[in-house]
Amino acid sequence: MLILAFDQSIARTGWCLYEPPSHSSMLIGSFTSRPATNMSTEEKTGIFCDEIEKLFRAHKPQFVVWEAAAEVIRSFAKKGREDLAGPTKAPPLTVNADQLILRDIQGHIRHAARARRIPYEAVQPRTWRAAILKNGNLGRDEAKKKAKEFCQMLRIPVKNDDQAEAVCIALFGASTQTYRMMQVRAA
């Protein structure tokens, strides 16, 4: 059963097509989803939607897995200005816009799978990192580095860290309960 895995972001999204158990026939790629300035959220996520639609049509996956976006949207204090009267009152909070867009992108993946009646699963970063990289508490940059080293160890040719994480997510996808239940039904 062909697995399509994503490590999505608005800058560059890695993807991997994997048919277990052999990783030697993996198809791996990435696409730039960095939007132009002054684009609306719909336009930004539309770029991603077009790319995933191409992958679904070209390869017809039977299971889709991706890294789940953060459940809690973190907020950051804006830097306040100081004037002659002293510091201004507590600065307002702002959210990281990327985190909001990732939820839309995740929705596009889910919709593409549901529209085709393909089973899918969103996996938590800590979960797949613990299973594949043997440490679920890695930071973002350290996890990307370890994922690339993991692919090099298995001689899986990746060109960037987003592709490496997509490979790890695909490998983890083959161990999920959803995927294993699909195998039982197919047998």
Side-chain angles (χ1 to χ4, degrees), residues 4-17 28-35 39 42-61 64 104-105 108-113 116 163:
L4 173 58
F6 290 100
D7 175 45
Q8 72 275 7
S9 80
I10 67 163
R12 182 178 59 211
T13 295
W15 58 268
C16 175
L17 284 155
I28 304 161
S30 57
F31 55 87
T32 301
S33 45
R34 184 176 300 281
M39 289 179 79
E42 289 80 15
E43 291 172 312
K44 291 174 185 177
T45 57
I47 293 169
F48 185 86
C49 186
D50 292 343
E51 292 296 329
I52 68 160
E53 283 297 323
K54 289 177 193 172
L55 288 167
F56 273 79
R57 279 192 302 268
H59 302 289
K60 299 179 181 16
V64 182
D104 282 349
I105 290 170
H108 282 298
I109 298 170
R110 184 180 295 107
H111 171 74
R116 291 165 175 85
Q163 290 178 1

